[in-house]
Amino acid sequence: MTDVIDRAGTLEQWQREAAIQAARASPKTPQQVVIDGVIVCARCWQPIPQARLKTVPDAALCVPCKSLQEQP
Ligand SMILES: [Zn+2]
C-alpha cells in the first residue's frame, strides 16, 4: 500500500514540475521538459520514448501530442 502512495506522490511531483516548466515555456514552441533526467512530453507529461528522441533530439512533445498540435 505504501508503494502505491509513494508512486502516486512521485507522479504528482513530476506532473507539478512538468506543469510549471510547460507553463513557463511558450505555448507555440514547447520547450523540452526534463524531470529527474527524463525528458517528458510538455503536454501529457509522459516520458518521450528514446526512439523518438533519436529521430528528433529536441522533441518536446510525444508523437500523439505532436499530431494533435499539428491538427488545424
Ligand atoms: Zn504527449
Side-chain angles (χ1 to χ4, degrees):
M1 192 60 176
T2 309
D3 279 357
V4 173
I5 293 169
D6 284 350
R7 270 186 275 158
T10 301
L11 186 61
E12 183 189 6
Q13 186 184 349
W14 270 42
Q15 291 184 337
R16 189 182 314 120
E17 289 178 26
I20 291 168
Q21 288 185 42
R24 285 178 180 155
S26 162
K28 283 196 174 177
T29 55
Q31 303 289 309
Q32 276 189 337
V33 179
V34 182
I35 298 172
D36 286 343
V38 178
I39 299 171
V40 299
C41 174
R43 190 166 177 164
C44 72
W45 309 329
Q46 295 298 309
I48 295 178
Q50 286 299 315
R52 172 153 173 74
L53 291 171
K54 256 188 181 174
T55 311
V56 187
D58 62 345
L61 298 174
C62 66
V63 172
C65 290
K66 184 68 177 168
S67 300
L68 283 173
Q69 188 194 40
E70 287 173 351
Q71 284 177 4

